[in-house]
């Protein structure tokens, strides 16, 4: 593969949207903002484009992709929606929710994008540039987060550029994203299952369903009739620096990722300090999370000490990403 592409960066706007649509139609790779994180888009029906996408990210091809569409009608052309899935789509699309449903009989999305599964992950993003690009292109667009596989997801165009310049065709710069963590993924199985906590709080989903979301079984090979979110590999959202969770004091040489107004012992000697939300707001913390991790990762600190984050609302997704960032690094 040509890893020496001239990657163009265009500010979001009419011209950029039209160019993105043309680029996708020609089999190109386009990074664009969504409300959660930046995505790396390819034509979901074009296996060659999808193969390039996997290569550009360095992503194992067994890890399936989310198909992004403009509305529920387009989603229903590629997936089968029962009453429960339809209710969730009506309540939360466009928005930070991905639904895993059975593929439709005439699903045009390439098998390579769904890693050969008979289910498909679909979402309608709530970002004007993303929706405009989907409209301009006119078909489903697969889009994983626009980072190198294993890196922290990008929340600005500069993050995308840092990881993927030279490997993709076009970056649409729509400024920093609003939500900051990836979409919540719900498996619309007999028992609706929380496959990945994310930008839509579990509580909101359970209110619409009128029941609790079940957890995926611990055994990743458990026979559910379908694999779970295979991308939820242990160490996934990882900065290079070691991450230490639930810090109550700062050790010499550590950087601090703070939450709330408390001042920890040892903070004066910290290599760097960033506060996810001084006013203890989990939404603000989610929006800051990946950018701050990237920044602290570059300080040369011996570890990133993270203060405890409450588990309600987007806190569940924040704690999930932090736990993954810390895996295998203690
Ligand atoms: O917010 C988001 O969801 C972002 C933006 C760009 O939309 N996208 C994103 O994509 O986070 P990605 O590729 O980083 O994560 C997709 C997740 C993976 O964990 C993958 O395993 C899971 O979705 N997935 C995809 N298809 C699936 C399926 N049929 N069944 C279960 N999990 C699936
Ligand atoms: Mg990702």
């Amino acid at each position: 593969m040509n890893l020496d592409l001239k990657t163009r960066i265009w500010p979001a706007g009419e011209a950029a949207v039209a160019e993105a649509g043309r680029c996708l139609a020609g089999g190109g790779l386009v990074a664009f903002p969504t409300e959660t994180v930046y995505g790396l888009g390819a034509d979901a029906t074009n296996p060659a484009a999808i193969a390039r996408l996997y290569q550009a990210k360095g992503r194992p091809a067994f890890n399936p992709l989310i198909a992004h569409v403009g509305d529920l009608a387009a989603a229903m052309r590629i997936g089968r929606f029962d009453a429960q899935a339809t209710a969730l789509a009506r309540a939360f699309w466009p928005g930070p929710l991905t639904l895993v449903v059975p593929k439709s009989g005439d699903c045009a999305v390439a098998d390579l994008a769904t890693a050969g599964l008979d289910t498909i992950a679909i979402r309608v993003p709530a970002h004007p540039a993303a929706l405009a690009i989907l409209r301009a292109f006119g078909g489903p667009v697969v889009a994983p987060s626009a980072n190198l596989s294993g890196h922290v997801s990008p929340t600005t165009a500069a993050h995308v550029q840092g990881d993927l310049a030279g490997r993709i065709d076009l970056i649409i710069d729509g400024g920093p994203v609003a939500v900051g963590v990836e979409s919540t993924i719900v498996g619309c199985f007999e028992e609706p299952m929380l496959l990945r906590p994310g930008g839509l709080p579990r509580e909101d989903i359970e209110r619409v369903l009128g029941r609790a979301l079940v957890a995926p079984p611990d055994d990743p090979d458990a026979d559910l009739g379908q694999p779970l979110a295979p991308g939820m590999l242990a160490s996934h959202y990882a900065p290079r620096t070691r991450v230490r969770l639930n810090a109550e004091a700062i050790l010499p040489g550590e950087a601090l990722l703070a939450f709330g107004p408390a001042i920890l012992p040892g903070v004066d000697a910290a290599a760097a300090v960033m506060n996810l939300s001084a006013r203890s707001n989990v939404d603000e913390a989610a929006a800051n999370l990946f950018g701050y991790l990237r920044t602290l990762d570059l300080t040369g600190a011996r570890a990133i000490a993270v203060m405890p984050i409450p588990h309600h609302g987007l806190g569940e997704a924040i704690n999930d990403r932090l736990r993954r960032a810390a895996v295998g690094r203690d």
Side-chain angles (χ1 to χ4, degrees):
M1 162 187 194
N2 179 6
L3 290 181
D4 201 19
L5 292 174
K6 179 114 190 58
T7 302
R8 293 165 295 147
I9 304 179
W10 288 29
E14 254 175 65
V17 164
E19 181 60 15
R22 275 194 297 274
C23 191
L24 289 167
L29 302 181
V30 180
F32 61 88
T34 81
E35 80 280 32
T36 56
V37 299
Y38 273 73
L40 177 59
D43 175 356
T45 68
N46 180 338
I50 297 162
R52 282 187 69 214
L53 188 155
Y54 280 120
Q55 260 190 313
K57 271 189 66 96
R59 177 175 180 129
F62 54 76
N63 191 353
L65 303 170
I66 297 171
H68 294 65
V69 293
D71 54 33
L72 179 55
M76 285 178 162
R77 287 195 281 276
I78 57 177
R80 289 209 308 272
F81 284 71
D82 62 11
Q84 199 167 254
T86 306
L88 291 178
R90 291 230 160 90
F92 298 116
W93 282 354
L97 174 68
T98 294
L99 297 174
V100 173
V101 298
K103 268 184 176 176
S104 69
D106 54 356
C107 178
V109 172
D111 284 337
L112 188 53
T114 53
L117 300 176
D118 53 14
T119 56
I120 183 164
I122 310 175
R123 97 175 183 99
V124 178
H127 190 291
L131 287 171
I133 289 167
L134 290 168
R135 211 173 309 118
F137 173 63
V141 170
V142 282
S145 49
N147 51 280
L148 286 172
S149 188
H151 281 194
V152 170
S153 289
T155 54
T156 66
H159 295 159
V160 179
Q161 195 184 5
D163 268 22
L164 297 177
R167 305 172 77 95
I168 65 176
D169 300 288
L170 181 62
I171 299 172
I172 306 301
D173 185 351
V177 302
V179 177
V181 292
E182 301 86 345
S183 60
T184 302
I185 305 182
V186 171
C188 299
F189 312 142
E190 216 155 88
E191 304 221 272
M193 189 178 285
L194 183 62
L195 294 173
R196 176 176 76 181
L200 183 67
R202 161 207 292 277
E203 298 90 320
D204 297 11
I205 299 167
E206 293 180 336
R207 205 171 304 124
V208 167
L209 289 174
R211 62 187 292 183
L213 289 164
V214 300
D218 286 342
D219 177 3
D221 295 324
D223 183 16
L224 287 171
Q226 63 275 305
L228 298 175
M232 300 313 286
L233 302 172
S235 179
H236 188 75
Y237 298 87
R240 289 164 199 80
T241 312
R242 193 169 70 88
V243 172
R244 186 168 72 82
L245 301 181
N246 297 316
E248 289 171 345
I250 310 305
L251 306 175
E254 284 187 330
L256 172 63
L257 188 59
F259 180 88
I263 293 168
L264 295 197
V267 72
D268 289 342
V273 179
M274 300 190 86
N275 198 327
L276 289 169
S277 175
R279 57 191 175 106
S280 304
N281 178 299
V282 285
D283 293 350
E284 181 180 44
N288 288 329
L289 177 68
F290 290 142
Y292 286 8
L293 278 175
R294 280 178 183 260
T295 302
L296 293 180
D297 201 15
L298 297 175
T299 58
R302 56 185 282 257
I304 301 171
V306 187
M307 284 169 70
I309 316 276
H311 211 64
H312 62 79
L314 294 197
E316 184 174 10
I318 296 172
N319 283 318
D320 172 82
R321 305 307 187 268
L322 286 170
R323 199 165 35 76
R324 288 170 200 289
V327 160
R329 283 149 197 269
D330 282 329

